[in-house]
Amino acid sequence: MYLDLDQDLVRRAREVAKEVTDDVQKFIDLRSTDSVERTVARFFDIDGTDSEGAPLPNVIVDNVKKHGGLDRGIAYWIANACVAKSMTPQQVAEAVGRKEFSPVDLAPQNEGIVAQKIDELADAVIKKLENIRNTREKMLNELGDPAQPYIYVIVATGNIYEDVIQAKAAVSEGADVIAVIRSTAQSLLDFIPYGPTTEGYGGTYATQANFKIMRQALNEMAGKVKRYIRLTNYASGLCMPEISAIASMEGLDMLLNDSMYGILFRNINMMRTFVDQYTSRLICAFSHIIINTGEDNYIKTSDPIERAHTVTTSQLINEQFALKAGMEPKYMGIGHAFEIDPDVQNGLLYEISHALLTRELFPNAIPKYMPPTRYMTGNIFKGYAQNTLYNLISIMTGQSIHLLGMLTEAIHTPLVQDRYLAISDAKYVFDNARSLGADITFKKDGFIQKEARQVLTNAVKLLEHVKEIGLMAAIEEGTFADIARKMDEGKGADGVFIKGEDYYNPVVDRMETALKGGKMI
Amino acid sequence: MYLDLDQDLVRRAREVAKEVTDDVQKFIDLRSTDSVERTVARFFDIDGTDSEGAPLPNVIVDNVKKHGGLDRGIAYWIANACVAKSMTPQQVAEAVGRKEFSPVDLAPQNEGIVAQKIDELADAVIKKLENIRNTREKMLNELGDPAQPYIYVIVATGNIYEDVIQAKAAVSEGADVIAVIRSTAQSLLDFIPYGPTTEGYGGTYATQANFKIMRQALNEMAGKVKRYIRLTNYASGLCMPEISAIASMEGLDMLLNDSMYGILFRNINMMRTFVDQYTSRLICAFSHIIINTGEDNYIKTSDPIERAHTVTTSQLINEQFALKAGMEPKYMGIGHAFEIDPDVQNGLLYEISHALLTRELFPNAIPKYMPPTRYMTGNIFKGYAQNTLYNLISIMTGQSIHLLGMLTEAIHTPLVQDRYLAISDAKYVFDNARSLGADITFKKDGFIQKEARQVLTNAVKLLEHVKEIGLMAAIEEGTFADIARKMDEGKGADGVFIKGEDYYNPVVDRMETALKGGKMI
Amino acid sequence: MIPDVDLSHLKPYGDQMNDGVIQLSFTLPVPGGAKAREAAKNFVSSMGLSEIQIVLSEDIGENFTFFVIYAKTTKDIDYSSIKTLEIESPKMSIDEVNGHVMKYLGRQITIVGATIGSDAHTVGLDSILNMKGYHGDSGLERYRMFKVYNLGSQIPPIDLVRKAREVKADVILVSQIVTQRDIHIKQLTELADILDAEKLRDKILLIVGGPRITHELAIELGYDAGFGAGTMPSEVAAYVATEIIKKKL
Amino acid sequence: MIPDVDLSHLKPYGDQMNDGVIQLSFTLPVPGGAKAREAAKNFVSSMGLSEIQIVLSEDIGENFTFFVIYAKTTKDIDYSSIKTLEIESPKMSIDEVNGHVMKYLGRQITIVGATIGSDAHTVGLDSILNMKGYHGDSGLERYRMFKVYNLGSQIPPIDLVRKAREVKADVILVSQIVTQRDIHIKQLTELADILDAEKLRDKILLIVGGPRITHELAIELGYDAGFGAGTMPSEVAAYVATEIIKKKL
Ligand code: B12
Ligand code: B12
Ligand SMILES: Cc1ncc(COP(=O)(O)O)c(C=O)c1O
Ligand SMILES: Cc1ncc(COP(=O)(O)O)c(C=O)c1O
């Protein structure tokens, strides 16, 4: 490889990261959350809202919680109600929405029959998800997987129908991946909005209906352009597992999914996010949804050179949590970004070094490279030049998922023409420098190699420290992104609970078995 | 170095190029031209125009020619007239302009006195040129030489005063070199226009007054920005040596000066250009004016990859002619250009290879790198990206003189804002990738190394062929730029003559002695 | 000024004085071709531009056509008579500001800052408030005579006002970065209305900032001042000090 | 067309239908600052644009300020009623052209081409005339029924006309690449005038081409047709064949 990293150090980095996450995993395994339970409800095809517009998955889970039954897991209550009332889960939820009864008040039905009901419902989910996954992969094989780096663009009009128009244009211009950015801070909503939406700020609400609309539009385009087109949305947040659930049911290909983003950048309670991300990633692992981790966020506010090792540290932690969810490396879209101040002398050498470090540290992953944003300005021409160098470094260092920079990054969410210019530039640069990476090498112990080693060394130091005190304590102490979050503070803390000994989550259970033959790893 | 070229092949290339030019030099040494003689007149301070506006240097040379005395060289006739009429050369020329007499009709004066007059006039020139050269170099040392690659921009409004405004803005933005582009096809005028001019097409007329005006403006700016600013104009053409003369007297730093440009691209007679370029380059060598050769022109019309070796061939020939004029390599601005179609896959690797070849073939020269032009389009954003990659290759491959590309190359001569955007981009890229070249190497026998060897090999083949048949025959055959020019055709043929045995050019003579202790080399 | 510039008939400068050249780019929601070019041309001339050169007309798919155009304006404007409404506040050092406030007010100035509504951007506000400041220019927390409460981002206007009342704030500093669909207008108006409703408006110096904010916009929205892209903390400090002192005298 | 586009009130599309967003850039010959920004704003609103966002206002030295601006148009145009004057000539293969000319004219068409005046650019004209052609589309010399004289560049109009008379040209193809200071207008007008003076104008099909040439401009200058950037030789061939046949019938 280019950096010739000290392989013992690399091994050490992984070991420590594993130990750091092992403890947290023990903590996770004892707990569930409202969102995890709503995920089960959604998998049991509970959808729609009550008369006040509250989503039925929230309605039924909140009801069971209010009546003190949630520690057993929602699956049992739904199944018991289905048997008792000989209703479908949807009918049960609607009835609860109409305040006709609480599942908890219903008489417990014959154990065997209820258990059978649970299995029946859960097996159906698994079958369904497998079918969706297989259809996607069949389509991918038929149409063919575009060459890497994938050209990844964002649509963010706030209106799903407008998004579709722009997404189609982007695909016909050469986009391989379309991400529909979520409306500002949807991650802070403790429910998933319902139905198609046309009003959002800075983005479009993530709803199952919106997923379906965009997926269909992209499939049409894929047929036209004879190229498989991937669809991306955002999971991290208070509904992390639920978003994964609807994504898996609507055939999405990627999800922004970070084990710590919600905690650090959205002040979501850490217990909540840790527990949620596990189920969320199980679903992604099972449905072969590529996760995109959010390391770019670290260097959006702190210095991209001095703090480069925090990116590496987070990448290693994300990798371990993904492994614990039984995810194969090829679905790990390990994040990093081109955020160095363009006024830094030799900034480009730092970028090359950092980009290669990610690439070589995760040879089997599918790294996601993010464009310059914080140092973009109103000078759209300079911005275009910054993006051109970013594109060059991406092809040169062999990145896999390439989120395009927009020349108007500092101004507004992309105009159609901004996206066109970004796509045509990426195509130009990728093609013009296609084999550059294969033809160059770097001076032994030169600037680029030294910098990469330095970053890795600092990352290991940081990990050692985190291991010392434990990940959660480290977060409380403000180790990451200079942001301190307390154990019991933050949004959604009240949505975490300890599983009762009769707790059962049939979907998670089946996924764990399928992915790793049982929970413990 | 990066390419590890076969040094025997490099030596061979130079040998053949030398042999090719040796024959031509013999041809040159026997001849002079109207322009060469006008050069002497100008050095003797003959300036201004007659009542019809014809420049006095043309007036007196044409007169002597008409009266059949030119084969003796203009110097003698001027000196003889000065003595006879006890006039200054200027007074003589004015008198001739008023048709009062022809120098040829005046009685020959005492040989010794005339000889003395000639020496006096010629020594004065040499003194003067040395002073101007020293002042320039003093200023350069005091203000400091900017880092390479020099940021070189063009002004081309057609109006010298407008040019000054824009040149000043460019300097304050960071330009190191200002080139005033000549009015369209001035190279085809057999005289140099007189005085300050405000009307030109595609550029501004090269006149001594215009040189003076711009030089003064740039010196002011140089003081302000505490950076020596170089001034460039264009020599190649029918007045090649004269332009060098006025440039040397006005303290210019660089001249576009190619041994074959006029022949191939302006259909100027080949004998005329070969003879002219010799005197022109003697003057540049003596006044330490950096020449810029025009190899970019070859690939403006023919394929930059297939015909890359014609660039190399021309570079080697230009080098030899420059050496014959006693020029030190550090004044040889060997030209090449970034002209590959952006749609060519791996085009950037070809560009790197070609750029390095020039750099490594002429390690002691001061290569001039030219930007993308022919594949620039109305898409100014894409153009900006092409220029960004061009800037990157330039800093990465260690070029010396860097002519900035304009995002509007396909549209109009640069607007102030186009130039600003070009300069700020070059500064950004140069600084951001400052040490990139020092940190990378290329795979042994990889794409880039192979391509460079191929080009050099083809160049040597071509040179061998040229040597076979002789350079002039080769040009007649259309060997260069697919353009065939006949020996006796083309503009300005009638301005070439064989020196009489009493021919004497005191200025050329002194320069040859100063530069190489006599003519033969 | 450039010698021959005519300030009372100012025009853009392309490559010579008064040529009036400008560059435009935009997209029309129609397929590429002669008709689209004609449409673009009509549109540009409807803006009073002439000598229109369509240098790029690119069908970018799905019935969109992207244009790059150069044209010359027929209009000119009177520069000499332009009056700008600008925030005028003297350049002052930290000590000067502190001294000033001490001398004329004799107490600390209380400042509450927040990014309101759904806007989660804090870097801008922090670079004005935090010690660290912006590009080497220290933030307001560094000023002895300022008492700063930085509430962070995503603060509902109502909470911001509550806090302001609670600490008897003299100044409210609001940051708004997200402007898409004019959400900042909505949120800033909401804040101003609450302050009016609670009869706090005239007791408080109300300031907004953000990259898309102009002083003009701020005034329109009933704010005292607006600070835009590249604002330095010291500018804000000097303005706050002088204004509060004016207010209290 | 895009579903909800209103063709009789067409506006630029930024990130939603009819938002009318456009991008501009230009330079004002005044030093940077608030007054320059205000001037830029006034200038842009004088073009009937609103919601003006000055996203870059950069003093580029020597009393020049460069602006990048986004704004929204208030104007819309009627696309549905647009008529374009376009060169209409059928798509024809080389054989079709030759066949056609043979059938209806029964002789070769004589074409003289040149870049006139001081203009030294030949690549454009050559790519129309030379065998090799342009982007794989063969040039007119490849057509059996065309007799082509390519005089090259820097040809004085008078010489071009002499040659045309000498070879009894049916068609004159002129290339003009350099347009600075409208030199092409001067040179093209001169050529047209000479042809009039020599009573040749109506005997000859007069065509001009170049990257900055439009059919409209050509008509204005009294030419029969103008071909712009990216012209393909086959378009010219088809046009020439059909027009000459029309003329001679
Ligand atoms: C960093 C960043 C983020 C970070 C924010 C981290 C954080 N803790 O702040 C993260 C990743 C979280 C983020 C998220 C989003 N962002 Co954001 N983000 C940016 C980015 C890249 C840089 C902003 C920045 O830090 N600038 C540096 C600071 C110093 O500059 P500044 O903010 O202009 O502040 C200066 C002045 O404006 C002024 N100022 C600012 N505030 C105040 C207040 C006062 C009182 C005063 C006096 C002065 C003042 O002083 C400062 C110093 O001079 C910009 C793009 C860009 N390059 O500007 C996008 C950008 C602002 N983000 C944008 C969007 C849309 C979002 C999202 C909504 C996208 C989405 N749908 O997910 C999300 C959600 C956030 C939310 N809920 O609001 C858009 C806004 C578009 C618009 N005009 O509406 C931008 C422009 C990117 C884009 N083109 O789409 N973002
Ligand atoms: C190559 C080139 C040169 C070469 C020309 C070599 C040659 N033998 O042609 C050289 C180096 C000699 C040159 C010199 C100059 N050039 Co020059 N040159 C260019 C360049 C880079 C490419 C032109 C080209 O070959 N295009 C490729 C051809 C295929 O495209 P095209 O010409 O548009 O032709 C197509 C269509 O227009 C059409 N077409 C063209 N002609 C005709 C004719 C007919 C009858 C028809 C039907 C169609 C048709 O069909 C063609 C195929 O589609 C352009 C910049 C650019 N990227 O466009 C500058 C450019 C044209 N040059 C320019 C200038 C100013 C000059 C100089 C005057 C500069 C100077 N002061 O020295 C000199 C002098 C030349 C002179 N006396 O005229 C300017 C013109 C600016 C303007 N609009 O006025 C340009 C735009 C560069 C710039 N931005 O400054 N140039
Ligand atoms: C990992 C990850 N998840 C989610 C998001 C965005 O979600 P939201 O804006 O709703 O918090 C981001 C945005 O940067 C992200 O990086
Ligand atoms: C070496 C050289 N001399 C001179 C010129 C231009 O001079 P002119 O346009 O007057 O022929 C050029 C332009 O490309 C050149 O390369």
Side-chain angles (χ1 to χ4, degrees), chain C residues 150-212:
Chain C
N150 182 345
L151 309 189
S153 66
Q154 298 188 334
I155 305 302
I158 186 78
D159 298 1
L160 172 55
V161 174
R162 189 178 307 113
K163 185 73 181 182
R165 180 185 290 288
E166 173 192 323
V167 302
K168 303 204 174 42
D170 302 291
V171 187
I172 290 180
L173 294 180
V174 194
S175 180
Q176 286 289 267
I177 310 301
V178 178
T179 60
Q180 212 199 20
R181 301 265 191 282
D182 288 334
I183 185 170
H184 61 307
I185 309 283
K186 296 191 190 62
Q187 292 173 344
L188 290 169
T189 313
E190 184 185 340
L191 174 62
D193 294 347
I194 298 175
L195 286 169
D196 286 333
E198 304 210 355
K199 310 250 169 310
L200 279 173
R201 180 64 192 86
D202 44 10
K203 295 192 192 61
I204 281 177
L205 186 67
L206 185 57
I207 300 173
V208 58
R212 306 266 75 77

Side-chain angles (χ1 to χ4, degrees), chain B residues 156-157 165 168-169 172-173 184-185 188 201-202 224 301 410-411 413 417 420, chain D residues 23 25-27 58 60-62 64 66 118 120 123 154 180-181 183 186 212:
Chain B
T157 67
I165 292 172
K168 283 178 155 181
S172 70
E173 291 152 18
T184 294
L188 303 181
Y201 296 109
K224 258 202 215 163
T301 50
I411 303 164
T413 45
Q417 69 199 49
Y420 159 73
Chain D
Q23 172 268 328
S25 77
F26 55 84
T27 305
E58 182 91 2
I60 60 174
E62 299 300 299
F64 285 110
F66 175 52
S118 55
V123 180
Q154 298 188 332
Q180 213 198 19
R181 301 266 190 281
I183 186 171
K186 295 191 191 60
R212 305 266 75 79

Side-chain angles (χ1 to χ4, degrees), chain A residues 182-183 185-187 234 236 256-258 261 266 292-294 296-297:
Chain A
R182 270 196 303 200
S183 179
Q186 178 174 351
S187 52
Y234 294 70
S236 317
L256 281 265
N257 181 311
D258 190 281
Y261 167 84
R266 283 290 185 260
N292 294 180
T293 62
D296 54 297
N297 295 290

Side-chain angles (χ1 to χ4, degrees), chain B residues 193-402:
Chain B
Y194 178 74
T197 67
T198 57
E199 266 305 315
Y201 296 109
T204 306
Y205 285 103
T207 73
Q208 188 163 358
N210 289 346
F211 287 7
K212 195 187 239 55
I213 291 167
M214 184 58 78
R215 174 80 273 174
Q216 195 186 336
L218 295 186
N219 287 351
E220 282 164 23
M221 285 307 290
K224 258 202 215 163
V225 300
K226 302 263 165 300
R227 206 168 69 241
Y228 184 76
I229 306 300
R230 288 183 166 82
L231 174 57
T232 304
N233 209 291
Y234 294 69
S236 317
L238 284 169
C239 297
M240 205 164 176
E242 282 175 278
I243 295 266
S244 301
I246 60 174
S248 67
M249 290 188 284
E250 297 304 335
L252 270 64
D253 305 282
M254 295 191 192
L255 284 174
L256 282 262
N257 181 312
D258 190 280
S259 57
M260 301 196 289
Y261 167 85
I263 303 167
L264 297 171
F265 302 106
R266 284 290 184 260
N267 193 16
I268 292 172
N269 172 267
M270 68 171 89
M271 303 183 285
R272 173 71 177 260
T273 284
F274 280 128
V275 176
D276 281 345
Q277 63 83 32
Y278 174 66
T279 302
S280 171
R281 288 178 169 197
L282 267 179
I283 298 167
C284 293
F286 186 82
S287 288
H288 298 176
I289 293 173
I290 295 169
I291 62 169
N292 294 181
T293 63
E295 282 76 11
D296 55 297
N297 295 293
Y298 289 80
I299 48 177
K300 269 205 164 69
T301 50
S302 66
D303 184 84
I305 296 175
E306 284 165 25
R307 313 288 293 166
H309 62 287
T310 63
V311 168
T312 313
T313 306
S314 168
Q315 291 173 328
L316 289 159
I317 291 173
N318 265 309
E319 179 189 42
Q320 289 305 318
F321 276 123
L323 288 170
K324 287 182 159 48
M327 182 172 286
E328 294 176 65
K330 65 177 174 188
Y331 300 115
M332 300 179 189
I334 301 294
H336 60 126
F338 185 101
E339 286 284 14
I340 295 168
D341 184 341
D343 292 344
V344 171
Q345 192 170 64
N346 286 323
L348 203 68
L349 281 74
Y350 285 102
E351 294 286 10
I352 292 171
S353 180
H354 298 172
L356 277 174
L357 179 58
T358 298
R359 179 67 279 186
E360 296 190 6
L361 218 44
F362 306 97
N364 306 319
I366 179 166
K368 181 195 185 193
Y369 201 23
M370 307 278 281
T373 62
R374 64 189 283 198
Y375 289 108
M376 295 291 279
T377 66
N379 184 340
I380 58 175
F381 297 97
K382 174 161 194 184
Y384 205 61
Q386 290 168 267
N387 288 330
T388 300
L389 293 187
Y390 161 67
N391 293 339
L392 184 70
I393 300 315
S394 186
I395 184 76
M396 182 174 131
T397 59
Q399 304 301 323
S400 299
I401 303 170
H402 181 79

Side-chain angles (χ1 to χ4, degrees), chain A residues 154-156 180-188 201-204 234 261 264-266 296-297 299-301 339 372-378 406 408-414 483, chain C residues 112-129 133-135 140 153-154 172-184 207-213 225-233 235-236, chain D residues 53:
Chain A
I154 278 166
V155 294
V180 181
I181 272 213
R182 270 196 303 200
S183 179
T184 295
Q186 178 174 351
S187 52
L188 304 180
Y201 296 110
T204 306
Y234 294 70
Y261 167 84
L264 299 171
F265 303 105
R266 283 290 185 260
D296 54 297
N297 295 290
I299 48 177
K300 268 204 164 72
T301 50
E339 285 284 15
T373 63
R374 65 189 283 196
Y375 290 107
M376 295 291 280
T377 66
M406 295 290 143
T408 53
E409 169 65 28
I411 303 164
H412 48 230
T413 44
I483 297 171
Chain C
V112 180
T115 304
I116 58 171
S118 55
D119 197 330
H121 296 87
T122 58
V123 180
L125 183 66
D126 289 345
S127 45
I128 298 299
L129 297 181
Y134 189 62
H135 285 316
L140 304 195
S153 66
Q154 298 188 334
I172 290 180
L173 294 180
V174 194
S175 180
Q176 286 289 267
I177 310 301
V178 178
T179 60
Q180 212 199 20
R181 301 265 191 282
D182 288 334
I183 185 170
H184 61 307
I207 300 173
V208 58
R212 306 266 75 77
I213 301 296
F227 289 84
T231 306
M232 288 293 167
E235 303 170 33
V236 183
Chain D
Q53 282 190 43

Side-chain angles (χ1 to χ4, degrees), chain A residues 8-68:
Chain A
D8 295 337
L9 193 62
V10 172
R11 253 185 306 282
R12 179 73 192 138
R14 281 213 158 68
E15 270 164 30
V16 188
K18 180 171 185 315
E19 292 164 21
V20 163
T21 51
D22 284 343
D23 300 351
V24 182
Q25 191 62 41
K26 291 201 195 71
F27 179 96
I28 293 169
D29 292 336
L30 301 173
R31 292 171 174 74
S32 178
T33 72
D34 296 358
S35 184
V36 168
E37 300 309 316
R38 295 195 300 254
T39 303
V40 175
R42 290 185 178 275
F43 274 138
F44 286 178
D45 289 333
I46 293 176
D47 197 7
T49 65
D50 68 10
S51 51
E52 279 97 67
L56 289 177
N58 293 64
V59 169
I60 191 163
V61 167
D62 294 348
N63 177 292
V64 169
K65 188 176 192 182
K66 197 163 89 265
H67 292 74

